[in-house]
């Protein structure tokens, strides 16, 4: 099944489990996945579908400039309680250290 997951279309990669060659069962617990032109315009609707009470938008400085600001405005404009945490690093390394920083600095 591990190799099968590599050939699935993106639309089939939400809320699934699969057995891995490592011997473990892995889960992808993403409820909504939107890719393509205009996908960012679906964020507020997806958040509403999950009855989100508070939303934390997480981005690096580059992503926030390109798209994060408009998504933040969209969420707030839809009346959703939204905050943003933007990693200030010019070259962010998405590792356990970055996740720890997020938990410490965004709380």
């Amino acid at each position: 099944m591990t190799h099968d997951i590599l050939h699935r279309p993106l639309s089939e990669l939400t809320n699934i489990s699969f057995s891995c060659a490592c011997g473990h069962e892995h889960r992808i617990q993403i409820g909504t996945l939107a890719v393509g032109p205009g996908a960012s315009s679906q964020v507020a609707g997806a958040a509403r579908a999950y009855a989100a009470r508070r939303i934390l938008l997480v981005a690096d400085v580059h992503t926030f400039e390109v798209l994060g600001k408009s998504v933040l405005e969209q969420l707030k404009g839809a009346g959703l309680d939204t905050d943003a945490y933007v990693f200030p690093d010019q070259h962010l390394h998405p590792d356990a250290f970055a996740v720890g920083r997020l938990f410490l600095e965004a709380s």
Side-chain angles (χ1 to χ4, degrees), residues 49-82:
Y50 290 98
R53 288 178 287 185
R54 287 191 69 212
I55 297 168
L56 178 63
L57 175 75
V58 179
D60 65 19
V61 291
H62 307 291
T63 306
F64 191 73
E65 280 299 314
V66 172
L67 193 60
K69 283 181 184 177
S70 65
V71 169
L72 181 62
E73 290 172 9
Q74 177 195 148
L75 291 165
K76 287 185 173 188
L80 298 165
D81 183 11
T82 307

Side-chain angles (χ1 to χ4, degrees), residues 34-50:
V35 178
S40 64
S41 66
Q42 300 173 31
V43 174
R48 269 199 212 94
Y50 290 98

